[in-house]
Amino acid sequence: MPCSPNISLTKSSHSKLSETDFSSLVFGKVISDHMFIADYQNGAWGDFRIVPYGPMDIYPGNATLHYGQAIFEGMKAYKTKKGDVLVFRAESNARRLNESAKRMCMPEFPEQHFIEALRSLLDLDREWVPQEKGSSLYIRPFMFAMDNYLGVRPSESYRFMIFTSPVGAYYTKPVSVKVETNYTRATEGGTGEAKAAGNYAASLYPAQLAQQEGYDQLLWTDGKTHSQIEESGTMNVMFKIKGTLITAPTGKGTILKGITRKSVIQLAKDWGQKLEERFLTVAELQESLENGTMEEAFGVGTAATIAFIHKIHVNGKDYFLPESAADAFSKHALKTLDGIKYGELQDTHHWMLSI
Ligand SMILES: *Cc1c(COP(=O)(O)O)cnc(C)c1O
């Protein structure tokens, strides 16, 4: 398929494909040959182009660098055994980008242009989608302010871009987490629901403290009382206690509306799995770990799809979860999602976009 007529194309004169070792990919290190760019000026998006991936000029007065109007998305493309390229739930990412844009006072990037740009870029760089089981092409759409102006106000110009990065089979080693009851990721009325760059900047320091204590990630609690489990910062979290799946509800503005979360909830419904979208309190979490009624704990997000949690630190104590059984809900969900993503299971919910 040729590039969309709305998009001008400048091909890279030297592909990095032959110099790339697909057997030892480190997450985020290797970037594919091309990137998509669109600029917003005078109230409209234009100048859609695909060019070789490379540096760009930014004024020191660029508003993003000072006031942080920057949002992003994360999604993946997979290659089937037959060599077809499939993207998981791309329309949901396009929609969520625009929800984030609204909160950060940025213009929407129309969904049909988002999909068109994605299709053109992935078609051009389809050789970059790795085929080995478990590997995929990570896709990073993002938008940021472009005004060269120091006054505090929403920027009037913006740039939307997409580039991609081949990633190897994600670490399936179970993760350890620490319940954070001092620092806050999000609070009602804040920006926690937006996939905004600043949310990540604010969470780096507490996450680093936890890593120095030997934990992989944090389990954030609500900003007001620190008594309810929210999510894990790059993943939503789910628990199975006494046969019931429990995950924090979205809609209060503090939980990122994960597309993996939404998909796992759909599978739970398909399978008649008992499910409660409610806040689990820190006390309940600790009690279920004390009395052994916590059956499963796992993170859900694009990077790992499902990350099993084997250790939880809460109120000064470490609790260990036994490796869940082969028929555990989380294992079944991971297998099913992988099957759909690699085109091996029927895509009954029409989640996959074929490039
Ligand atoms: C991106 C993200 C997630 C996971 O969302 P997916 O759409 O499943 O990848 C969860 N929490 C936060 C804070 C995020 O930024």
Side-chain angles (χ1 to χ4, degrees), residues 152-164:
V152 179
R153 58 142 169 77
S155 179
E156 287 170 358
S157 57
Y158 293 88
R159 179 164 284 181
F160 170 76
M161 304 181 69
I162 309 176
F163 66 81
T164 69

Side-chain angles (χ1 to χ4, degrees), residues 72-75 93 96 185 192 194-196 199-200 231-236 254-262 300-303 305:
F72 68 97
E73 275 302 322
M75 52 208 286
N93 292 92
R96 188 172 65 188
R185 189 195 86 88
K195 219 168 168 71
N199 290 342
Y200 281 77
E231 60 161 309
S232 182
T234 61
M235 304 186 293
N236 297 106
T254 61
I255 310 271
L256 201 288
K257 291 179 178 169
I259 294 160
T260 317
R261 173 188 181 279
K262 180 167 84 168
V300 293
T302 295
T305 303

